[in-house]
Amino acid sequence: MQDLGPLTPETELLGKIPIGYARKHLLLPCREAGGSVVLLSGRPGAGEAIDEVRFLLGPMRVLSAPEDTIQKMIDAAYEKIHAPEREIVEGLSGEWDLDVEATIEETRDLLESPDEAPVIKFVHSLLFRAIKERSSDIHVEPYEKELTIRNRVDGILYPMVAAPRKWHAPVVSRIKVMAGLDIAEKRLPQDGRIRIRIGGKEIDVRVSIVPTAFGERAVLRLLDRSSLVLGIEDIGLSPADLSLFERFLSRSNGIILVTGPTGSGKTTTLYGALRRLDSGTKNIITIEDPIEYQIRGIGQIQVNPKIHLTFASGLRSILRQDPDIIMVGEIRDAETAEIAIQASLTGHLVLSTLHTNDSASAVTRLVDMGIEPFLVASSLSAVIAQRLVRKLCPACRVPYTPSSAQWAKLGLHGPPAGPFHAAAGCADCMHTGYVGRAGIFEILPADDRLRGLILTRSDADGIKAFAVSRGMRTILAAGAEKVREGITSAEEVLRVTQED
């Protein structure tokens, strides 16, 4: 391989070479620091393709490069020749009559469509930018005089672009067409799914449309199909908590509940647990709404209320499939809870989620649903409550000392003993000060004394106080430990634990 030196993709020539051709033959015209144009080649034996490019663009020297390097350079170069969202919006004039095909190729690469109509380019650029910035969601929000687009990155919503109000209908209609939804229906909520490919990366997009006072609002959840499901050792558990969790997973029956608000990583934890349990010798079946990631070797069922396939009805059918391990995406009602608990009492290991703020509240929530306390006490193995905290950007975090008020809110005593770090902001983290997220956990094991409290219908405060007296580490204490380790900041922990 030759020394490449400083090379810049020649954007004026890229428009003459389709991205599909460039990727297939791994060819990219670039300009050297001295001004001469060269052709990067990442595939030996591409002589015929090189001759074709030379015929099209003119004579040029050929330099070799590693395949992965040139592939990344091709994707980055063709990204730059796409018009940014703001340029598209500002370049519009007049009203738009949306005229798009009723069907599109689901896995079409968005980088290969630079010549589409402006509204299509706008939606495609929103998707591309969101994926580039590690966004989990895109929010399309209509208001009286404008259309606002926001991205959720690491759990926080950031403004993305503001468009004229007249662009609302065409943008939402384009999203509906891509998701296979009814573009004429504007009064009822709709849900759909889009599968796209950007730079060779396949992305599943979950689409939710709901009517609001100013028009239909769309939220697009982005799921990278190439992302690996995290193992339980990667989600942020401390060594002691990991060992405890693995002990519960090694049991052949009982129910393990993961609790927390929406977006706290409960499904990621369950998927990590399933990966640990999938030894190839057990029958594992899940029922989810929706299926976020496909896991090889595990039977996954999608809830579909339209055909009366609910968590409860699906769970009944699963029990006739001779399962060893069952994962229920969420316990939403008493019927699902009762079937799940009965399954755990008849030789099945059941994993599920509940929407409660802490581990102790999950116990009382089941009783409030109408489940008999003796059934809860007999079946429960453990409750894991969790939150996600943003991790400080390692490139720009700065040392600081927490205030005495922050120190006290974290439940810590004595003078702060550092070093501690706070968010600053740089180009690597898009000036937010944070990159990625980690979990903080609270694990409530169900021992005989706790079962006694459940049987006497003790309230959540009483159960939590008992568990803490027996050594349970609360979510706040787990967050404080992450602050001490320099993983996150005190402000971030207090934000997600909602401590005032």
Side-chain angles (χ1 to χ4, degrees):
M1 186 190 75
Q2 303 174 52
D3 182 14
L4 300 181
L7 294 175
T8 305
E10 184 54 50
T11 55
E12 291 184 5
L13 300 179
L14 290 179
K16 299 180 180 181
I17 304 176
I19 186 174
Y21 186 92
R23 282 182 178 155
K24 179 180 179 181
H25 300 289
L26 291 179
L27 296 173
L28 181 67
C30 293
R31 189 172 294 277
E32 294 182 298
S36 60
V37 177
V38 298
L39 183 64
L40 280 186
S41 173
R43 183 163 294 155
E48 185 176 346
I50 290 172
D51 291 341
E52 290 176 351
V53 173
R54 280 174 165 167
F55 177 78
L56 182 66
L57 304 181
M60 62 183 69
R61 188 161 54 98
V62 178
L63 299 179
S64 61
E67 285 192 21
D68 57 345
T69 299
I70 196 169
Q71 185 68 68
K72 291 177 182 177
M73 290 180 68
I74 289 171
D75 289 343
Y78 279 88
E79 169 199 344
K80 289 182 180 179
I81 66 174
H82 277 252
E85 314 86 30
R86 193 171 299 281
E87 291 180 14
I88 295 172
V89 172
E90 292 174 353
L92 291 175
S93 60
E95 296 291 336
W96 264 95
D97 294 324
L98 186 67
D99 183 15
V100 296
E101 297 179 2
T103 59
I104 66 169
E105 184 184 349
E106 286 189 342
T107 56
R108 182 179 185 181
D109 197 315
L110 297 189
L111 289 178
E112 296 184 10
S113 56
D115 299 322
E116 300 280 9
V119 67
I120 299 176
K121 289 175 67 177
F122 178 67
V123 173
H124 288 188
S125 65
L126 292 179
L127 288 164
F128 187 88
R129 177 175 164 184
I131 293 165
K132 181 181 176 182
E133 295 179 353
R134 303 179 295 103
S135 304
S136 61
D137 303 85
I138 303 172
H139 290 241
V140 180
E141 305 168 343
Y143 296 103
E144 185 176 6
K145 295 182 179 179
E146 67 176 8
L147 174 66
T148 299
I149 315 292
R150 295 194 292 171
N151 277 4
R152 187 179 295 278
V153 181
D154 293 334
I156 304 295
L157 276 172
Y158 296 99
M160 187 178 185
V161 67
R165 181 67 174 81
K166 63 185 178 182
W167 265 80
H168 168 252
V171 167
V172 173
S173 293
R174 174 59 186 169
I175 292 170
K176 285 182 174 181
V177 168
M178 295 177 73
L181 302 178
D182 183 357
I183 63 172
E185 179 56 73
K186 303 179 185 298
R187 300 167 301 170
L188 296 174
Q190 296 188 68
D191 295 310
R193 188 180 290 266
I194 306 168
R195 181 173 293 179
I196 60 175
R197 188 168 60 243
I198 294 183
K201 178 185 292 187
E202 288 203 1
I203 307 292
D204 275 339
V205 184
R206 243 170 44 211
V207 178
S208 172
I209 309 282
V210 296
T212 69
F214 295 110
E216 291 178 293
R217 181 182 182 128
V219 175
L220 288 70
R221 167 66 58 89
L222 309 176
L223 301 169
D224 186 352
R225 299 181 70 214
S226 63
S227 296
L228 296 176
V229 176
L230 295 177
I232 58 173
E233 66 278 0
D234 303 317
I235 59 178
L237 287 163
S238 68
D241 286 344
L242 178 60
S243 176
L244 190 59
F245 193 10
E246 289 178 329
R247 181 156 60 87
F248 298 131
L249 292 176
S250 66
R251 297 178 180 176
S252 60
N253 55 43
I255 185 167
I256 300 172
L257 296 175
V258 181
T259 76
T262 300
S264 59
K266 300 186 296 296
T267 302
T268 299
T269 298
L270 289 181
Y271 279 166
L274 292 180
R275 279 193 61 193
R276 177 59 60 92
L277 292 166
D278 185 18
S279 61
T281 61
K282 295 180 179 179
N283 182 18
I284 304 176
I285 304 180
T286 76
I287 180 162
E288 308 171 55
D289 184 21
I291 297 172
E292 294 196 7
Y293 294 99
Q294 297 282 351
I295 306 178
R296 183 179 178 86
I298 294 177
Q300 295 174 268
I301 301 171
Q302 168 74 53
V303 166
N304 188 350
K306 293 181 180 178
I307 59 173
H308 307 292
L309 176 55
T310 63
F311 279 116
S313 63
L315 191 49
R316 286 196 184 93
S317 299
I318 287 174
L319 292 174
R320 294 192 285 271
Q321 291 281 314
D322 186 32
D324 297 297
I325 299 163
I326 301 169
M327 194 267 270
V328 182
E330 182 184 346
I331 293 178
R332 296 177 178 172
D333 51 55
E335 185 181 13
T336 305
E338 187 171 352
I339 300 170
I341 286 175
Q342 291 291 354
S344 70
L345 292 172
T346 53
H348 305 90
L349 179 63
V350 179
L351 294 85
S352 190
T353 69
L354 271 178
H355 285 281
T356 61
N357 288 327
D358 60 13
S359 55
S361 298
V363 177
T364 55
R365 173 74 183 279
L366 290 173
V367 175
D368 290 342
M369 281 183 174
I371 307 301
E372 291 294 337
F374 75 90
L375 289 176
V376 178
S378 302
S379 62
L380 191 64
S381 290
V383 182
I384 301 168
Q386 68 178 77
R387 299 287 190 280
L388 290 176
V389 293
R390 293 179 294 167
K391 296 191 292 186
L392 289 167
C393 174
C396 66
R397 65 179 188 173
V398 293
Y400 92 118
T401 301
S403 67
S404 56
Q406 288 178 333
W407 194 250
K409 287 179 181 179
L410 288 172
L412 302 174
H413 306 286
F420 300 97
H421 295 84
C426 65
D428 289 352
C429 59
M430 298 183 295
H431 302 282
T432 65
Y434 298 92
V435 175
R437 290 188 289 178
I440 53 176
F441 300 86
E442 171 183 292
I443 300 182
L444 173 66
D447 57 19
D448 290 339
R449 291 188 62 183
L450 180 67
R451 292 188 175 95
L453 291 177
I454 297 173
L455 290 172
T456 58
R457 296 179 180 266
S458 179
D459 61 16
D461 290 339
I463 291 174
K464 183 172 184 178
F466 166 77
V468 170
S469 72
R470 301 269 288 181
M472 182 185 79
R473 187 173 64 165
T474 65
I475 287 179
L476 184 60
E481 187 62 30
K482 288 285 193 289
V483 174
R484 280 177 165 156
E485 294 171 356
I487 294 173
T488 190
S489 64
E491 292 86 352
E492 177 67 6
V493 170
L494 294 175
R495 179 184 70 84
V496 301
T497 55
Q498 300 179 352
E499 293 290 326
D500 297 325

